Amino acid sequence: MKPALFNHQFCADVPAEQAAVMAATQRPATDVALTGNLVTASPAWKTIPSWFVFSDEDLNIPVALHRFMAERAGAKDIREVAGASHALSVSAPEPVTAAILDALSA
């Protein structure tokens, strides 16, 4: 992602200084990561319980798609964080941590 666009597109709710570091240290997405096929016949979400945390202001993945994927996976818990960006684990670590702890306890 172009560094000049990174803060707005990826982490609008992260302080500019931190977003600049994130932009400078990001790894490029590869074609395989974005368009490649699964190496397995059955994705893990079909057989392994999942917990889902997403934001309603993610500019990279539409909120409707997040909701669809969480429901399709039969997520044990779905947490939609209001006002957060795609960089949810950085900007709103509390609900992410809570979901991880809930998954560990299950």
Side-chain angles (χ1 to χ4, degrees):
M1 190 174 303
K2 293 180 181 179
L5 304 175
F6 189 87
N7 188 220
H8 170 75
Q9 181 67 33
F10 192 78
C11 55
D13 56 344
V14 171
E17 299 79 24
Q18 186 174 8
V21 171
M22 292 168 67
T25 59
Q26 69 177 313
R27 295 180 65 188
T30 64
D31 286 339
V32 172
L34 298 174
T35 63
N37 293 327
L38 290 174
V39 183
T40 180
S42 179
W45 58 261
K46 288 188 174 186
T47 57
I48 298 173
S50 61
W51 283 252
F52 214 97
V53 184
F54 62 94
S55 65
D56 65 350
E57 292 193 22
D58 186 333
L59 298 180
N60 295 298
I61 302 173
V63 69
L65 182 56
H66 276 297
R67 290 179 186 138
F68 167 77
M69 291 186 296
E71 290 176 20
R72 178 183 64 179
K76 301 288 183 186
D77 187 37
I78 300 171
R79 298 171 195 223
E80 185 171 332
V81 180
S85 68
H86 187 76
L88 188 58
S89 61
V90 174
S91 65
E94 296 84 5
V96 176
T97 302
I100 292 168
L101 294 174
D102 287 349
L104 287 170
S105 297

